[in-house]
């Protein structure tokens, strides 16, 4: 089952620009996480934001969470060509019969041109 | 840090044969492991949740008899794709939950590097 939707599905920017990706979800959550995946590779955990947090920073990453709108955004500042990858949000659900599973959004494919 | 390995990293098999994929937590005990499938250019779809010593819980639409999951120990879960067909070709990713490490009320979850299955 899919939890959320992400937009845009694809984003192409120039090196140095900022990239913003959005994620919406449907159910109550315990936390929301962002992952990066290079083509054909495994997942890299980027950042986790708890349901009682509104904003979190990690290096060039800034994540916001609005539980009233059931949405989150990931901002990558001063992007680099190496940031080119697919980015996924994942929510840990609170629904009892889903046992706190991690459910992924559709993903945003980011391309950063040198 | 917590490491999850998968073996093999890639496999090619003929239609009709069965393929077994292993998922191991290398430096922690995982009471729960998850299996995901990812088609090209798509997101990860949760297939099943496996708890050590008990039967796996499958997501809606996932065939239990086709995707056999065994979680025999706290560090090993296996996914067997039985009678594989070309449409089973996909990237299979496992994830292990560290029972001793919690964050924000939930258990920390670590992902393996994935196994690419190609069925010819």
């Amino acid at each position: 089952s899919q939890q959320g939707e992400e937009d845009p599905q694809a984003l192409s920017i120039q090196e140095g620009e900022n990239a913003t990706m959005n994620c919406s979800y449907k159910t109550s959550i315990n936390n929301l996480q962002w992952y990066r995946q290079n083509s054909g590779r495994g997942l890299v955990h980027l950042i986790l934001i708890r349901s009682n947090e509104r904003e979190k920073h990690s290096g060039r990453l800034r994540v916001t969470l609005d539980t009233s709108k059931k949405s989150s955004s990931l901002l990558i500042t001063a992007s680099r060509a190496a940031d080119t990858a697919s980015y996924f949000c994942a929510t840990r659900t609170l629904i009892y019969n889903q046992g706190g599973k991690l459910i992924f959004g559709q993903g945003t494919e980011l391309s950063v041109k040198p | 840090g917590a490491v999850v390995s998968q073996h093999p990293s890639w496999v090619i098999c003929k239609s009709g044969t069965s393929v077994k994929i292993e998922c191991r937590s290398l430096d922690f005990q995982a009471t729960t492991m998850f299996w995901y499938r990812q088609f090209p250019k798509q997101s990860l779809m949760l297939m099943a949740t496996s708890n050590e010593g008990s039967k796996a819980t499958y997501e809606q639409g996932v065939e239990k008899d086709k995707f056999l999951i065994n979680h025999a120990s706290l560090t090993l879960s296996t996914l067997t794709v039985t009678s594989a067909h070309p449409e089973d070709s996909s990237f299979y990713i496992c994830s292990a939950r560290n029972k001793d490490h919690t964050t924000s009320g939930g258990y920390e979850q670590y992902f393996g590097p994935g196994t690419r299955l190609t069925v010819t």
Side-chain angles (χ1 to χ4, degrees), chain B residues 54-74:
Chain B
S54 62
K55 290 184 179 180
T57 302
Y58 291 80
E59 295 298 300
Q60 194 172 8
V62 178
E63 299 176 59
K64 302 179 184 180
D65 296 332
K66 180 163 187 66
F67 299 100
L68 301 179
I69 292 172
N70 183 284
H71 192 162
S73 76
L74 285 172

Side-chain angles (χ1 to χ4, degrees), chain B residues 86-105:
Chain B
E87 55 264 33
D88 298 325
S89 298
S90 188
F91 194 50
Y92 292 87
I93 302 173
C94 75
S95 179
R97 181 182 283 173
N98 186 341
K99 74 178 187 68
D100 294 322
H101 189 191
T102 62
T103 179
S104 64

Side-chain angles (χ1 to χ4, degrees), chain B residues 29-82:
Chain B
Q29 293 185 327
T31 50
T32 305
M33 288 185 172
F34 304 88
W35 286 95
Y36 293 82
R37 179 170 58 183
Q38 184 180 33
F39 292 110
K41 301 290 186 182
Q42 294 188 26
S43 184
L44 280 76
M45 294 291 295
L46 181 63
M47 299 175 66
T49 302
S50 109
N51 292 297
E52 186 261 340
S54 62
K55 290 184 179 180
T57 302
Y58 291 80
E59 295 298 300
Q60 194 172 8
V62 178
E63 299 176 59
K64 302 179 184 180
D65 296 332
K66 180 163 187 66
F67 299 100
L68 301 179
I69 292 172
N70 183 284
H71 192 162
S73 76
L74 285 172
T75 59
L76 173 65
S77 175
T78 60
L79 167 68
T80 302
V81 183
T82 63

